[in-house]
Amino acid sequence: MARDLLLEVGVHDLPAVSVAAAVSALPRLLREELRRLRVPFGDIWATGSSRRLVVGASGLAERQLDLDAELIGPPAPVAFDSRGSPTRAAANFARKAGVAVRELHVVQTSRGAYAAAKPCEKGRDTSSLLPELLVRLCKEVTSNPPAAGLPGAAPQSVPLRWLLALYGEVVVPFEIAGTVASNVSYQRSVVPSEGIVVPRANDYRTLLEARGTMLHVDERRASLRQSLSEAAHDVGGELIVDDRSLDAAAWVFEKPHVALVDIGPQIESLPDVVVGRLVARHRHAFGVRDAMGRRLSAVLVVVDAADDFDTVSRRYEDELRAQCASARQCLEMDVRLPFGQCCSMLEAVPYHPRLGSYAQKVTRLVGLVEKLGLALSHGEAERGLAHHAATLCKCDLATQLVAQFPELVGEAGRVYALGSGVAVEVADAIAQHRLPAADDDPIARSPIAALLGIADRLDTIVGCCAINIMPMGSADPLGLRSAAIGLLRTLIEHRMDLRLDDAVSLAYAEFSDVALDLTADDVAHRLRSFFEHRLRGILSQSYPASVVHACSSGSPLAPHQLALRVAAIAAAYDRGVAVPAIADDGGAELEEMAEEAPPVVGSEHD
């Protein structure tokens, strides 16, 4: 009789990114293990939070299927002599197949006659297979989760708090690092606490939900959004929606509750973007706006229903008020000096011991922006704005506000630039040229910011490569992989016809006063495969990997033209039509063929 399988791994304060990754991987891992063991099963589901990772499967058969497969051995003339007697080759094959030599037979294949064996292995009881299976599953999802969702972050093992493992009504007996599996679950990650005895696997959901635990992340997300919106309405405003923070809170909290804190009238003297960043600095905090779009002093904080609301609220309120006061003091100190004069202070801000200060980086960026602007046929007015943005884009690194709150870099520059009378286009470029800050962030919207961002990333990647600093394995402390992805996405989504070899050559030329280890040709050769690997990863999110690989191998095309080629060929294959030869320079034919293809993942530009 088929029975349900349930595995719950109790953990402690697992980050949202690790929970999401584990919940995504668990069904696939369990499915692969059950298929490998030849155990029939029904539906597989998984869920999780910062306290637990759960995976279950319905309808597991009581026994694994018998193995009854035909194994092909050596050619018949090799396995049997002229009299039909088995040779040593036949004896060796029979031993490996686990059958007697007399059980070998001859089969006809497309390559001729071959010796064959048909071993029959009786299936074992599923209950005897599950302990080893669940040990492998637990170790897979708890040994190396993403440490913090950051490039180069070191993986860390997850400490186990408890293990619940049931096959129907029977506890699956296994142990990991002294933690023994049982049929008891807990609502808090600190053990011992009140245990919840689960008699059968299919009782699990009912028992936990009866105690107020929301098991499924979609349910928690919907409940959270509604609670936050209602709380914002209660204070006379509307929620400032932050989907990323909302998702993180939904992955973490099983019994989410919204607490209200007030950071006082001091926010009126702070730019909205500064307050927003300070609120976002606190995990699971959300701002509120009034009907006119003005930010209110109310802040909504997601906490666990079991927490002491008053204590948590006071802690958040005290921290936010102190940070707002500190930010105001920094602003008052910074505005005493004209923003443009901060450029002279960048000489004292180190960039890299071998690549100079940020003042030297800015000098390179000014020259590179001009060259890239000409290569991309930007007009004189646009190049002038980009030149101005390049001279100011790193100035906020010398301000007190960024020194105190590094996450405000870029945004602080925009605030100070606007206060100094700088054109809005230039100020926006200062803020946006660092986008995307993460691989799934939106790219810079304005062409000026995109041009400046490309120059900034090229300077970083080419400079590091030229002094033999490149990512190795999972280590990428300078974030060069993310920089490359941001560069490529910007080139594709802004449809910039810039070949990477040309871009690398322009960037390398700006290091004329720096002692480098590699020549321009060496750098171009090394970065060619580095960029190609990242570009394949971006395009493979939207198009078949085989098409991406075939189009990208050694292609001299600009990333935008290559994306068009991949889209065109993928669209042609989908329509079942012949794919014509496409010239290396792309052109109108690529544009026309690509019209029916899906956009590149993350694209914002039509």
Side-chain angles (χ1 to χ4, degrees):
M1 181 178 177
R3 288 183 276 179
D4 293 347
L5 173 68
L6 174 69
L7 171 67
E8 180 190 66
V9 181
V11 292
H12 180 63
D13 282 346
L14 198 60
V17 64
S18 298
V19 179
V23 170
S24 175
L26 276 168
R28 173 182 56 81
L29 295 171
L30 180 57
R31 190 176 295 110
E32 290 174 354
E33 287 288 341
L34 292 174
R35 286 173 177 167
R36 182 183 65 82
L37 293 173
R38 310 190 309 278
V39 177
F41 58 91
D43 295 331
I44 291 181
W45 59 277
T47 188
S49 69
S50 62
R51 295 176 181 173
R52 72 189 83 238
L53 300 173
V54 188
V55 64
S58 64
L60 258 69
E62 289 190 322
R63 295 181 64 84
Q64 68 177 160
L65 298 175
D66 296 340
L67 178 62
D68 189 13
E70 190 167 59
L71 305 178
I72 305 300
V78 176
F80 303 98
D81 60 22
S82 57
R83 293 174 296 178
S85 299
T87 64
R88 179 175 295 181
N92 289 337
F93 170 60
R95 186 181 70 255
K96 291 178 182 178
V99 300
V101 175
R102 64 177 180 274
E103 296 179 55
L104 298 181
H105 58 282
V106 176
V107 295
Q108 292 295 329
T109 73
S110 59
R111 295 179 297 168
Y114 278 76
K118 201 168 185 180
C120 183
E121 179 184 324
K122 285 292 185 182
R124 295 165 54 192
D125 289 342
T126 299
S127 57
S128 67
L129 303 170
L130 290 178
E132 184 181 347
L133 182 157
L134 296 185
V135 167
R136 284 197 300 271
L137 200 63
C138 288
K139 289 182 177 179
E140 183 71 28
V141 297
T142 61
S143 57
N144 288 310
L150 302 174
Q156 300 174 351
S157 295
V158 175
L160 298 181
R161 298 304 190 191
W162 73 86
L163 291 168
L164 181 152
L166 286 170
Y167 178 45
E169 301 177 357
V170 179
V171 174
V172 181
F174 70 97
E175 176 184 339
I176 297 179
T179 303
V180 180
S182 70
N183 65 343
V184 180
S185 179
Y186 298 88
Q187 288 192 291
R188 300 302 301 266
S189 57
V190 180
V191 180
S193 62
E194 182 184 355
I196 304 170
V197 177
V198 183
R200 293 179 299 274
N202 56 10
D203 292 335
Y204 176 77
R205 297 189 194 188
T206 303
L207 288 170
L208 265 70
E209 288 173 356
R211 288 164 171 78
T213 298
M214 295 184 188
L215 278 178
H216 296 288
V217 67
D218 291 339
E219 179 187 359
R220 297 198 294 262
R221 186 185 295 110
S223 174
L224 257 178
R225 184 181 287 273
Q226 181 178 350
S227 298
L228 287 165
S229 298
E230 291 174 354
H233 183 267
D234 290 343
V235 295
E238 60 181 38
L239 178 69
I240 301 176
V241 179
D242 181 348
D243 287 332
R244 184 173 294 180
S245 295
L246 188 65
D247 286 343
W251 279 116
V252 169
F253 296 107
E254 295 179 333
K255 295 181 177 181
H257 179 85
V258 177
L260 174 66
V261 302
D262 193 306
I263 53 180
Q266 57 187 323
I267 69 167
E268 296 176 3
S269 61
L270 292 173
D272 183 78
V273 67
V274 173
V275 180
R277 291 285 186 177
L278 295 181
V279 171
R281 197 179 214 209
H282 294 263
R283 291 195 308 169
H284 322 309
F286 298 82
V288 181
R289 294 190 190 279
D290 64 15
M292 302 297 294
R294 296 178 299 235
R295 184 181 291 271
L296 301 180
S297 61
V299 175
L300 306 177
V301 180
V302 181
V303 298
D304 192 271
D307 291 335
D308 183 334
F309 298 157
D310 290 338
T311 301
V312 173
S313 298
R314 281 196 301 273
R315 187 182 75 239
Y316 271 96
E317 192 166 280
D318 291 345
E319 290 177 358
L320 279 166
R321 287 189 175 192
Q323 289 170 357
C324 285
S326 177
R328 189 175 65 252
Q329 291 176 353
C330 291
L331 276 165
E332 291 171 353
M333 294 174 63
D334 289 335
V335 297
R336 296 173 186 171
L337 183 70
F339 185 52
Q341 291 187 23
C342 291
C343 293
S344 60
M345 301 167 62
L346 289 177
E347 196 64 55
V349 182
Y351 170 58
H352 187 277
R354 293 195 55 189
L355 300 178
S357 66
Y358 268 99
Q360 291 171 278
K361 182 178 178 70
V362 166
T363 301
R364 293 194 298 269
L365 289 181
V366 170
L368 184 54
V369 160
E370 177 65 21
K371 293 176 181 177
L372 290 174
L374 289 170
L376 292 168
S377 302
H378 286 329
E380 184 177 349
E382 206 167 46
R383 295 202 312 275
L385 291 172
H387 180 279
H388 193 186
T391 62
L392 299 176
C393 67
K394 304 298 180 185
C395 286
D396 57 355
L397 293 172
T399 64
Q400 294 293 323
L401 186 61
V402 170
Q404 185 73 19
F405 304 102
E407 65 270 29
L408 285 170
V409 65
E411 295 289 357
R414 182 181 187 276
V415 169
Y416 290 137
L418 289 175
S420 300
V422 171
V424 174
E425 297 90 340
V426 173
D428 287 344
I430 293 172
Q432 294 178 24
H433 84 282
R434 296 176 178 273
L435 298 176
D439 295 349
D440 57 347
D441 278 353
I443 64 167
R445 296 184 298 275
S446 78
I448 299 169
L451 179 61
L452 181 55
I454 289 169
D456 190 17
R457 289 173 174 83
L458 276 171
D459 179 84
T460 298
I461 296 169
V462 171
C464 288
C465 179
I467 58 173
N468 279 311
I469 297 178
M470 291 296 285
M472 296 187 65
S474 62
D476 186 13
L478 298 181
L480 299 184
R481 293 190 182 100
S482 290
I485 291 171
L487 167 66
L488 294 168
R489 282 186 55 204
T490 302
L491 289 172
I492 293 171
E493 296 178 36
H494 274 276
R495 300 189 173 189
M496 295 179 173
D497 289 330
L498 181 67
R499 295 175 186 255
L500 290 171
D501 281 354
D502 296 338
V504 169
S505 177
L506 292 175
Y508 187 92
E510 295 299 319
F511 287 91
S512 57
D513 60 343
V514 178
L516 303 176
D517 298 332
L518 302 180
T519 66
D521 289 341
D522 291 338
V523 170
H525 177 74
R526 181 178 291 190
L527 289 180
R528 200 168 292 130
S529 60
F530 178 72
F531 282 128
E532 185 176 294
H533 185 73
R534 257 90 252 156
L535 185 54
R536 286 179 180 175
I538 293 170
L539 296 178
S540 294
Q541 295 179 60
S542 302
Y543 307 111
S546 57
V547 174
V548 173
H549 184 83
C551 292
S552 63
S553 296
S555 172
L557 292 175
H560 162 55
Q561 290 290 341
L562 179 61
L564 284 176
R565 168 177 283 196
V566 171
I569 294 177
Y573 275 124
D574 287 343
R575 297 196 302 269
V577 301
V579 181
I582 301 174
D584 280 345
D585 59 356
E589 187 174 10
L590 282 178
E591 295 276 4
E592 182 179 348
M593 293 180 66
E595 283 182 358
E596 298 184 25
V600 176
V601 167
S603 178
E604 295 184 337
H605 298 270
D606 296 324

